[in-house]
Amino acid sequence: GRLSVKTTADGALTDVLLTVRKAEGGEIVTESRTYTAADTNPRVLPLPDGRYDVSAEAVRIAGRPTQSLKGIEIRDGATVEKAIDFGTGTLRVKATRNGALSDVKVEVLRAGTREVAAAGRTYRNANHNPKEFRLPAGVYDVEITAIEIEGDPMQRWEAVEVAGATPVERAHDFRTGT
């Protein structure tokens, strides 16, 4: 039989690592990967008749989210088709100091936790500021720390909802003097 797995993020083909295990015992049967091209996505995997669990890890989404398909049954040499969509959203964080682009550390945390979903820096360069994160759809707390300013002041936004095609934007201007 065969298992055909199509992987998308918000409807567009996406890169995913696939691990197929026997449903009983969890022994790995095969590993493969989908890409953003139609010749590898969906990925078609030859498998003997049996029951399988599949884990799919999104390679190009911050935090590398994982989804699972449990108890897929291949019978009589048939092809079973499955689709996995990783809904995402975009967060843009802009940091300035007295109106000019500023270098800050950015941490995107799963809401209400200290678990880091993504992190980076804005730098004082328009190519990196605002800093853009592609994230699994969800709610996040965002902290920016001004590393150019004595005492490392921080700005925090809580319960920032990220989902869909419209980017969520946050900006903060640190005011300083000498």
Side-chain angles (χ1 to χ4, degrees):
R2 300 183 327 163
L3 173 62
S4 173
V5 182
K6 182 177 182 177
T7 60
T8 56
D10 304 316
L13 298 178
T14 193
D15 297 346
V16 173
L17 292 173
L18 300 171
T19 303
V20 179
R21 290 180 157 77
K22 289 185 178 179
E24 289 188 25
E27 174 188 331
I28 293 177
V29 177
T30 188
E31 293 179 302
S32 191
R33 183 170 168 169
T34 62
Y35 294 91
T36 58
D39 58 340
T40 63
N41 197 344
R43 174 65 74 190
V44 179
L45 305 167
L47 293 169
D49 286 0
R51 289 176 47 85
Y52 301 95
D53 295 336
V54 177
S55 67
E57 181 182 356
V59 178
R60 303 224 184 266
I61 300 173
R64 295 175 73 116
T66 301
Q67 290 190 32
S68 296
L69 301 172
K70 301 281 187 190
I72 297 169
E73 191 162 351
I74 307 284
R75 260 193 277 165
D76 302 325
T79 297
V80 174
E81 295 180 3
K82 295 291 180 182
I84 300 172
D85 185 66
F86 290 88
T88 63
T90 301
L91 171 67
R92 289 189 188 128
V93 177
K94 183 176 182 178
T96 54
R97 179 168 50 98
N98 298 330
L101 294 179
S102 183
D103 189 8
V104 303
K105 289 190 309 185
V106 181
E107 282 192 320
V108 182
L109 309 166
R110 299 199 193 291
T113 74
R114 296 299 308 162
E115 182 184 343
V116 176
R121 286 175 59 179
T122 59
Y123 300 101
R124 283 183 260 162
N125 180 319
N127 292 334
H128 300 279
N129 193 345
K131 174 70 176 168
E132 189 168 290
F133 298 95
R134 184 172 176 212
L135 300 161
V139 180
Y140 300 92
D141 296 334
V142 181
E143 294 179 353
I144 63 173
T145 304
I147 58 179
E148 299 177 335
I149 303 170
E150 191 89 19
D152 298 331
M154 183 183 67
Q155 169 66 35
R156 180 179 169 93
W157 298 285
E158 294 184 349
V160 177
E161 190 167 342
V162 176
T166 304
V168 175
E169 299 187 11
R170 292 292 181 271
H172 183 72
D173 186 51
F174 289 95
R175 306 300 295 168
T176 63
T178 53

